[in-house]
Amino acid sequence: MMNMQIKFTTPEEAVKVIKSGDHIHLSSVASAPQCLIKAMCERGRNKEFCDVHIHHLHTEGAAPYSEPEFEGIFQLDSFFVGGNVRKTTQAGYADYIPIFLSETQRLYRSGAVPCNVAMIQVSTPDKHGYVSLGTSVDATLAAVETADHVIAVVNRHVPRSFGDAMIHVSMIDLFVEDDTPLEEAHFTTPNEVEVKIGKYCAELIEDGATLQMGIGAIPNAVLAQLGGHKNLGIHTEMFADGVLPLVEAGVINGAAKNIDKGKMVSTFLMGSQKVYDFIDDNPGVLMMDVGYTNDPFIIAKNDRVTAINSALQVDITGQVCADSLGTKFYSGVGGQIDFIYGASLSKGGKAIIAMPSVTNKGVSKIAPILTPGAGVVTTRNHIHWFVTEHGAVDLYGKSLQERARLIISVADPSAREELDRAAFERYGSHHHYIKSYMKK
């Protein structure tokens, strides 16, 4: 443990600070402190407290506190609905707080959401008494600053990342030791449709661009196309394995950035052990507070910010649903609007919504109107570029009828006639939409 003398306790002992009515913050994604979660749930099973509220962003691994058996004991009010709590949230056992990712930290700092206990995971201390939050700073730093009690799992597998991730041990009240390796996330290889989308997006990315992209096959497909680019930068909410070959090849070097020049900036990570190893002791990566990474006005300080985000459904006016399937919550607002708006304000920036034109079951994801109950995440006023496997269209400054024509042009061919008819019925024969409809 270097020169630091830290007194460790057991997970079971540490979670005794939790009392009825408390609000608990759990660190996110790979950093979810599983040994503390397990000990907390054990206390819950023994009915040692009730009405304990739990908050977190997306977490990897088990989330037993959201299960029906803990009704009345734990209430999960997440800031993002991840796959591990989706079913329980949709069934009403857990709930969701709609919030821009940039503002999750403000919930704690403003007191809108109290934080009684922050349960986090950190690296081993250095000789100066600093530990690192490793793979997840996001809203966790704000929770640490505002919590009555901070319990930290010290884990030698947590990478020592820099930026806002570095905190002094004096900010922590209780220490637990656990050397379970971090949860890894592995992504599928892009399929033919995703590769096509990746190509269209890559064509929009200029040399010297600063990139933000989400997770999954489409971002990986985009990154795979960028080998010939120069001087790309990263200012994002998260990155995964796809960026590593581009860093090694010198394509991503941050040389053209106006702020944090030469640095990759992120607030959390999700990927394989390779990513965790990459950020360990790496001064080229800054893991920052989500209030910094996702502030649209900070994002806009870099030129040519290119933000690529996905959607569940888009209507013919350009409204983007990205958080729910009808009334059923699927994910959350996340950082989509933070980056769509930030990229739009950036000099030479491009905000891109990219998605396959149909679902896995062949249903068109482009619809005349959004499914009733669907949430509008990116409004029709915010959307710029829209990309499917059938092409890329720029909707900025276009009228409703012109948008409809452009959006339908990148829909699945099997859906275009029905979409055309809907647009015709919506805009009537006296509008110029009729001209393109009549030509068919």
Side-chain angles (χ1 to χ4, degrees):
M1 275 292 160
M2 311 291 287
N3 301 333
M4 291 302 304
Q5 288 305 308
I6 285 175
K7 193 168 178 240
F8 286 101
T9 186
T10 61
E12 294 73 23
E13 203 58 39
V15 299
K16 283 183 179 170
V17 298
I18 300 171
K19 58 189 188 303
S20 293
D22 273 358
H23 287 253
I24 314 288
H25 173 82
L26 302 178
S27 52
S28 318
V29 197
S31 286
Q34 292 297 341
C35 67
L36 296 178
I37 291 169
K38 203 171 158 191
M40 174 181 74
C41 288
E42 208 43 55
R43 280 197 71 199
R45 275 192 194 94
N46 296 335
K47 307 276 194 296
E48 292 177 39
F49 46 57
C50 63
D51 197 28
V52 168
H53 298 261
I54 294 174
H55 309 288
H56 56 66
L57 282 79
H58 168 87
T59 60
E60 291 286 302
Y65 45 80
S66 72
E67 297 294 334
E69 66 165 306
F70 290 114
E71 196 170 13
I73 296 165
F74 297 119
Q75 171 60 40
L76 170 63
D77 295 325
S78 68
F79 303 148
F80 187 87
V81 182
N84 57 351
V85 297
R86 192 168 291 140
K87 278 187 179 154
T88 50
T89 303
Q90 290 176 351
Y93 290 105
D95 208 347
Y96 161 67
I97 297 173
I99 187 81
F100 295 124
L101 197 63
S102 58
E103 291 186 26
T104 52
Q105 48 77 32
R106 191 188 290 173
L107 291 177
Y108 290 136
R109 289 183 173 128
S110 70
V113 172
C115 187
N116 303 102
V117 184
M119 305 209 301
I120 65 174
Q121 191 152 216
V122 299
S123 68
T124 52
D126 63 19
K127 63 184 179 184
H128 304 291
Y130 283 88
V131 292
S132 175
L133 294 169
T135 59
S136 289
V137 178
D138 46 71
T140 296
L141 182 62
V144 168
E145 289 169 4
T146 55
D148 303 326
H149 303 280
V150 179
I151 310 173
V153 176
V154 178
N155 185 337
R156 63 184 170 84
H157 294 290
V158 172
R160 192 166 163 271
S161 63
F162 297 120
D164 291 336
M166 281 288 175
I167 61 171
H168 196 264
V169 291
S170 58
M171 295 177 79
I172 297 164
D173 302 299
L174 293 157
F175 297 88
V176 170
E177 201 163 16
D178 180 46
D179 285 336
T180 307
L182 298 184
E183 294 273 346
E184 293 183 69
H186 298 283
F187 305 105
T188 54
T189 308
N191 61 28
E192 193 184 337
V193 167
E194 289 153 348
V195 169
K196 281 183 185 168
I197 294 169
K199 283 185 175 155
Y200 284 121
C201 291
E203 284 167 13
L204 296 173
I205 296 170
E206 299 170 44
D207 288 344
T210 294
L211 305 181
Q212 175 266 332
M213 46 190 74
I215 47 179
I218 290 174
N220 287 345
V222 177
L223 291 162
Q225 311 286 335
L226 300 178
H229 279 62
K230 294 183 180 68
N231 300 332
L232 298 179
I234 298 284
H235 182 110
T236 184
E237 65 194 37
M238 65 81 56
F239 66 82
D241 294 60
V243 302
L244 301 185
L246 295 174
V247 177
E248 284 158 21
V251 172
I252 291 174
N253 58 19
K257 291 174 81 178
N258 298 331
I259 59 167
D260 304 315
K261 193 183 274 291
K263 310 278 188 189
M264 295 170 66
V265 173
S266 185
T267 195
F268 67 88
L269 298 176
M270 192 171 164
S272 73
Q273 189 60 42
K274 277 187 195 162
V275 179
Y276 310 152
D277 292 341
F278 170 72
I279 69 162
D280 184 43
D281 255 332
N282 186 347
V285 178
L286 298 178
M287 296 299 292
M288 302 297 285
D289 189 292
V290 73
Y292 179 83
T293 60
N294 284 53
D295 180 332
F297 299 98
I298 301 246
I299 293 163
K301 286 184 178 179
N302 283 312
D303 297 341
R304 297 177 293 278
V305 172
T306 307
I308 302 171
N309 288 276
S310 199
L312 296 169
Q313 192 180 40
V314 173
D315 75 8
I316 58 173
T317 72
Q319 293 191 111
V320 178
C321 171
D323 60 354
S324 64
L325 297 165
T327 56
K328 295 282 185 196
F329 267 86
Y330 185 80
S331 53
V333 173
Q336 182 166 120
I337 273 286
D338 297 333
F339 276 94
I340 291 278
Y341 190 44
S344 306
L345 297 175
S346 158
K347 185 181 174 186
K350 290 183 182 134
I352 302 168
I353 293 289
M355 71 174 195
S357 64
V358 294
T359 67
N360 295 339
K361 293 176 180 166
V363 177
S364 176
K365 293 175 74 164
I366 296 170
I369 58 170
L370 297 178
T371 305
V376 177
V377 170
T378 292
T379 72
R380 55 171 79 103
N381 322 305
H382 285 99
I383 195 168
H384 284 221
W385 284 92
F386 178 51
V387 177
T388 73
E389 71 275 24
H390 300 294
V393 290
D394 186 4
L395 306 177
Y396 189 60
K398 304 294 194 295
S399 70
L400 290 169
Q401 293 171 58
E402 184 65 3
R403 279 164 177 250
R405 190 180 65 74
L406 289 168
I407 291 168
I408 292 166
S409 76
V410 295
D412 189 75
S414 68
R416 286 177 197 168
E417 193 176 333
E418 188 196 333
L419 291 168
D420 262 333
R421 195 177 298 114
F424 173 65
E425 285 167 7
R426 186 165 186 161
Y427 299 118
S429 59
H430 55 288
H431 287 300
H432 70 247
Y433 194 87
I434 183 71
K435 292 167 193 163
S436 60
Y437 181 66
M438 295 287 279
K439 280 177 198 164
K440 294 180 190 250

